[in-house]
Amino acid sequence: MVEQKVVVRLRSGLLARPAALFVQEANRFSCDTFVEKDGKEVNAKSIMGIMSLAIAHGQEITIRAQGSDAEEAVRRLTEMVTKED
Amino acid sequence: MSEPRSVSVAELVEGIGMHVFNSDADLHRRITTMDINRPGLALAGYFRYHPAERIQLLGRTELSLLEGMEEREQRLRVYAFCSYDRTPCIVIARGLEPPPALLSVAQAKRLPVLGVGMVTTRAAAVISTFLEARLAPETMMHGVLVDVYGIGILITGASGIGKSETALELIKRGHRLVADDAVIIRRVSDDTLVGSTPPLLQYLLEIRGLGVLNAMTLFGAGAVRTHKKVAMVIHLEAWRDDVAYDRLGIDEETVQILDVELPCITVPVRPGRNLAVIVEVAAMNHRLKRMGYHAAREFSDQLARAVEGHDAYD
């Protein structure tokens, strides 16, 4: 299990369009990926799950992955949300 | 994922419509347990094992016990009773007034003293129900919850296996969607799980290629519901040739969610397999089993009888 705590830097948070891109990226990996906010964990490959967390700019989330390419997945997903746009 | 939850006294006051006798009390105290205590023994002087962290509910019995005491004794008991910081609040039932000694000590400790009009046992039931709803263990699961012939079915499986598509087909066949993709599951009693959708995702469904759809506006109010008891789990997984799938259905597999055992069926997915029909039939078969008819067992019993009969003729 690879895990990384990050503060979301995307200006509009992880809502609709950025969330779709995030989920698309997560789906490129074969490992199981999860995002947790305030103790609620959802599947990072599910757009509805990610949107239900309503992740806004400046909030802290935990990205988790388990599987063969977990490390790469966490690195890529962390990079996506910490990018200042 | 489920964490210890709590409710503030202020939420309780608002939720049940209680009267606050000492309005300057600390209404931010947290209630962490669903249990309620009737502190008869404590007021009689027995404080060992006193469950101070529970709501303290006083009815006619406790109040008459206090009133029957000498003033000095009463003050002592009330002082000891109110001195626990972890006591969230005192509730007086039947619309009765708290004894002045109790109210003044509680006021000094900023311990909320609340009043309800109901009789004591009824008040206990109402408070319990309220707390159970707020404190019930909760978890979020990845899956789709549908109501098929009145049976709440949680469809699970990896991303992209076709859970939402199956739900869509089920809606078209007249069944109801509860939650797509993210399901909040709460244990409302020792053996009952209730699933609902996160508020933001109510009635929504995501289908690859179509995007986010609203099942309520597309299919009408009959196609959705807000919550449903989860009765069984259907797990979809990619068909693998090296795995032996259940061909008889004599044994029942189960899965544990929040410490509740639920029957679970694993359905292998292959292009062209009509999953909605399989889910529908699984729901009907589940109902039949609960009504006492188990097709697979019946078949195996008949087979056994036939073999026995055959032996007799030989």
Side-chain angles (χ1 to χ4, degrees):
Chain A
M1 179 78 83
V2 187
E3 191 176 306
Q4 176 79 49
K5 265 192 184 164
V6 281
V7 174
V8 177
R9 288 271 152 250
L10 295 168
R11 200 173 322 125
S12 55
L14 210 52
L15 306 177
R17 224 173 276 276
L21 290 174
F22 181 85
V23 169
Q24 212 169 34
E25 189 66 32
N27 270 298
R28 291 182 30 205
F29 298 95
S30 66
C31 58
D32 289 324
T33 49
F34 305 96
V35 171
E36 185 194 309
K37 189 190 120 185
D38 303 335
K40 269 193 185 153
E41 189 186 64
V42 299
N43 191 324
K45 295 184 180 181
S46 133
I47 178 91
M48 304 288 270
I50 295 290
M51 289 200 301
S52 78
L53 291 182
I55 300 161
H57 172 87
Q59 285 182 328
E60 190 186 67
I61 59 171
T62 307
I63 297 174
R64 238 178 244 132
Q66 189 159 34
S68 55
D69 49 2
E71 227 150 285
E72 171 70 5
V74 170
R75 199 185 56 75
R76 270 298 297 148
L77 295 176
T78 309
E79 208 174 276
M80 278 193 88
V81 294
T82 50
K83 194 167 57 185
E84 303 253 3
D85 56 347
Chain B
M1 267 197 307
S2 60
E3 59 205 280
R5 287 145 41 94
S6 67
V7 180
S8 75
V9 174
E11 285 173 84
L12 177 77
V13 167
E14 194 171 331
I16 298 185
M18 287 179 167
H19 171 68
V20 185
F21 286 107
N22 46 352
S23 50
D24 59 339
D26 176 18
L27 293 181
H28 298 296
R29 291 192 187 210
R30 311 296 301 184
I31 305 162
T32 51
T33 165
M34 293 183 214
D35 302 321
I36 294 168
N37 186 42
R38 291 201 57 180
L41 279 173
L43 294 174
Y46 189 72
F47 279 98
R48 186 180 295 176
Y49 307 123
H50 172 54
E53 71 288 353
R54 300 184 190 168
I55 292 178
Q56 306 293 326
L57 178 63
L58 278 70
R60 199 152 52 178
T61 332
E62 288 83 2
L63 292 183
S64 74
L65 174 73
L66 274 178
E67 274 156 23
M69 288 178 192
E70 276 175 40
E71 209 185 306
R72 211 181 82 83
E73 193 186 15
Q74 191 194 44
R75 219 172 328 121
L76 235 96
R77 296 283 160 74
V78 163
Y79 189 81
F81 177 59
C82 292
S83 60
Y84 296 89
D85 280 339
R86 56 181 197 278
T87 300
C89 61
I90 294 172
V91 178
I92 316 270
R94 285 179 172 269
L96 297 167
E97 288 287 321
L102 176 70
L103 193 58
S104 72
V105 176
Q107 209 137 22
K109 304 260 180 201
R110 299 195 65 217
L111 174 65
V113 180
L114 316 172
V116 278
M118 290 168 263
V119 293
T120 320
T121 43
R122 176 92 192 110
V126 169
I127 295 171
S128 259
T129 313
F130 175 83
L131 291 180
E132 252 167 40
R134 298 298 187 93
L135 298 176
E138 189 181 286
T139 184
M140 178 105 96
M141 286 196 64
H142 182 223
V144 176
L145 182 60
V146 279
D147 170 357
V148 180
Y149 298 124
I151 307 280
I153 299 182
L154 180 69
I155 305 174
T156 61
S159 262
I161 196 98
K163 298 183 293 292
S164 300
E165 278 86 350
T166 306
L168 187 64
E169 172 78 24
L170 286 167
I171 296 170
K172 286 290 285 177
R173 286 166 165 269
H175 305 291
R176 292 163 173 178
L177 173 76
V178 185
D180 176 41
D181 234 18
V183 188
I184 297 175
I185 295 187
R186 305 170 76 182
R187 193 177 74 209
V188 294
S189 74
D190 281 350
D191 56 358
T192 311
L193 298 177
V194 170
S196 58
T197 166
L200 274 171
L201 301 184
Q202 197 150 48
Y203 313 138
L204 299 184
L205 185 70
E206 187 238 353
I207 301 288
R208 308 258 151 115
L210 297 182
V212 176
L213 308 173
N214 187 321
M216 164 100 141
T217 49
L218 271 176
F219 303 104
V224 290
R225 50 181 305 167
T226 54
H227 60 276
K228 176 72 193 165
K229 181 184 156 190
V230 184
M232 68 185 299
V233 176
I234 294 186
H235 184 71
L236 305 182
E237 68 175 33
W239 191 297
R240 282 179 294 164
D241 285 332
D242 55 338
V243 173
Y245 294 107
D246 196 356
R247 305 293 293 266
L248 282 172
I250 291 180
D251 304 316
E252 267 181 39
E253 270 186 58
T254 59
V255 64
Q256 268 206 349
I257 301 174
L258 291 174
D259 297 329
V260 176
E261 270 313 282
L262 289 179
C264 173
I265 299 174
T266 301
V267 176
V269 177
R270 208 156 52 172
R273 249 192 142 196
N274 190 337
L275 288 173
V277 172
I278 292 176
V279 172
E280 250 180 3
V281 172
M284 284 195 276
N285 204 30
H286 177 82
R287 283 191 67 183
L288 263 183
K289 281 184 199 168
R290 292 296 163 269
M291 288 153 100
Y293 182 80
H294 197 301
R297 273 184 208 150
E298 197 87 351
F299 168 66
S300 117
D301 288 349
Q302 245 170 29
L303 202 62
R305 272 199 298 275
V307 170
E308 266 169 34
H310 193 72
D311 282 347
Y313 288 117
D314 271 349

